[in-house]
Amino acid sequence: MHFIITDAWLAKSRAVHLSGTKLLVALFALSLVLMFMAAGLYHWVFLKGAREGWPVVGSMLRLVVKDEFEQRDRFMRENLDAMARKLGEMQAKMVQLEALGERVSGLAGVNAAELKTTPGRGGALIEGRSLTLEELQATLRDLDQVTAERTDLLTVMESRLFDQKIRKSMVPTQQPVQAGHLGSSFGWRIDPFTGRSALHSGLDFQAEPGTPILAAAGGVVVAAEWHPAYGNMLEVDHGNDLVTRYGHAARLHVKKGDIVKRGQRVGDVGSTGRSTGPHLHFEVLVQGVPQDPNKFLAAGRDLAPAALAMRTAGRR
């Protein structure tokens, strides 16, 4: 393409030759200039019309602002509805947690009604509408309060259940010899050495020498020594003036001051001291007074099936 440029009096002229590439670049540059000029003019007119209140520009502004507000309100409403649905799920889970807490509170000996301050709610749905931001915030505050109350309740129940577990673990309900059978019972009998009537202050478990002797409950070893009558003797203090005694052992595996757990091996069956054969002499003393150990061991035998049933139900 050729362009011939002359002045007004045709005194001078100049020819310009544009190839295809140069022509495209020139057209592109011209288009950009026109676009920037149009945008600047539109911006200037739009701002001037908005400041001076031109009717047409004002109408356009109202439409744009209205559409922007509608989009923002729709976005906020969708988010509020999603939060409200999530809040409803949380409230449903809190109801389940509350029901579970009430069931567990019975086992812990805690009256859940005394700690429950949140009133019951319910009724038919008359009219459904979306929650406002203020209503959502108020519901979240209520849920936070209920959560704090449930936390307090569960903390109390945890403390009670832990205390009960500790107390039960300190009561001698574990049979001290698993592989033995009961010989002499607690009470009056004919003494095997004197042939006279004498009080037998414990239970005799017949077992082979070396059979493990198990701690009937957790506690602290207060004596692990030789005794003229009991031979190798062990005494375990379980607290609350409750002591168990194990006599005639061939060997003791713990010493004074040791802490033992329920079912821990503390010695081996033997025939030391005043004994006619291998067996374990087992006593339970409350405030130093011998008690019938069968009363404690029977409680342990009664609890075993119940504990097994609870574990089976939990696995189901």
Side-chain angles (χ1 to χ4, degrees):
M1 181 178 289
H2 292 274
F3 289 94
I4 300 176
I5 303 174
T6 62
D7 59 11
W9 303 102
L10 299 178
K12 295 180 180 181
S13 63
R14 184 178 179 182
V16 179
H17 176 71
L18 295 177
S19 63
T21 303
K22 291 181 178 179
L23 181 61
L24 288 176
V25 172
L27 291 176
F28 180 72
L30 181 61
S31 300
L32 286 178
V33 171
L34 292 176
M35 288 174 59
F36 281 116
M37 290 178 62
L41 180 62
Y42 175 79
H43 185 67
W44 179 81
V45 171
F46 195 78
L47 289 179
K48 185 174 180 62
R51 291 190 185 120
E52 297 182 2
W54 294 355
V56 176
V57 176
S59 299
M60 293 175 62
L61 277 175
R62 283 191 294 273
L63 288 175
V64 172
V65 172
K66 180 180 178 182
D67 184 64
E68 183 179 354
F69 280 148
E70 287 179 352
Q71 290 181 0
R72 185 178 302 175
D73 183 69
R74 183 168 57 253
F75 177 77
M76 183 177 295
R77 179 59 54 195
E78 290 175 354
N79 280 273
L80 284 176
D81 291 342
M83 292 176 65
R85 288 192 295 271
K86 192 65 178 179
L87 182 60
E89 295 175 1
M90 293 174 63
Q91 288 177 325
K93 292 180 180 178
M94 284 300 302
V95 172
Q96 295 176 352
L97 181 61
E98 183 176 350
L100 176 61
E102 289 180 353
R103 292 196 297 269
V104 176
S105 65
L107 299 176
V110 178
N111 187 359
E114 296 178 356
L115 300 176
K116 182 180 177 181
T117 59
T118 305
R121 297 177 179 179
L125 178 63
I126 304 301
E127 180 181 358
R129 64 176 179 83
S130 299
L131 290 177
T132 64
L133 181 59
E134 291 76 13
E135 291 173 334
L136 184 61
Q137 291 175 342
T139 307
L140 285 173
R141 285 194 297 269
D142 293 341
L143 183 60
D144 182 66
Q145 180 181 357
V146 172
T147 303
E149 293 173 358
R150 297 286 81 77
T151 301
D152 293 340
L153 174 61
L154 292 176
T155 301
V156 172
M157 288 190 293
E158 180 189 28
S159 176
R160 294 286 183 87
L161 289 173
F162 182 74
D163 184 62
Q164 290 180 12
K165 180 179 179 181
I166 292 297
R167 290 180 180 273
K168 288 180 180 179
S169 68
M170 305 296 279
V171 177
T173 55
Q174 167 78 47
Q175 185 161 318
V177 178
Q178 295 290 351
H181 61 275
L182 185 61
S184 297
S185 300
F186 177 86
W188 293 93
R189 69 172 184 178
I190 303 298
D191 186 87
F193 290 94
T194 65
R196 303 177 62 180
S197 178
L199 176 65
H200 186 229
S201 57
L203 298 178
D204 286 343
F205 291 93
Q206 307 298 322
E208 294 295 325
T211 301
I213 300 173
L214 309 178
V220 180
V221 178
V222 294
E225 58 193 17
W226 173 267
H227 189 279
Y230 297 108
N232 289 324
M233 182 194 71
L234 177 72
E235 290 184 351
V236 180
D237 188 349
H238 308 286
N240 297 321
D241 297 322
L242 185 61
V243 175
T244 53
R245 179 180 291 161
Y246 310 80
H248 309 305
R251 180 185 176 190
L252 300 177
H253 296 295
V254 294
K255 62 183 182 300
K256 184 177 181 179
D258 287 351
I259 298 176
V260 298
K261 299 180 180 179
R262 175 191 297 272
Q264 178 180 337
R265 185 173 185 174
V266 294
D268 299 329
V269 171
S271 183
T272 59
R274 194 170 182 268
S275 171
T276 61
H279 71 285
L280 169 68
H281 176 80
F282 176 65
E283 292 185 16
V284 177
L285 301 98
V286 178
Q287 295 182 347
V289 180
Q291 307 292 321
D292 186 357
N294 260 324
K295 296 179 180 179
F296 296 88
L297 299 180
R301 289 191 292 268
D302 292 340
L303 289 174
L308 178 61
M310 291 180 65
R311 289 195 294 269
T312 305
R315 286 193 295 269
R316 291 177 182 174

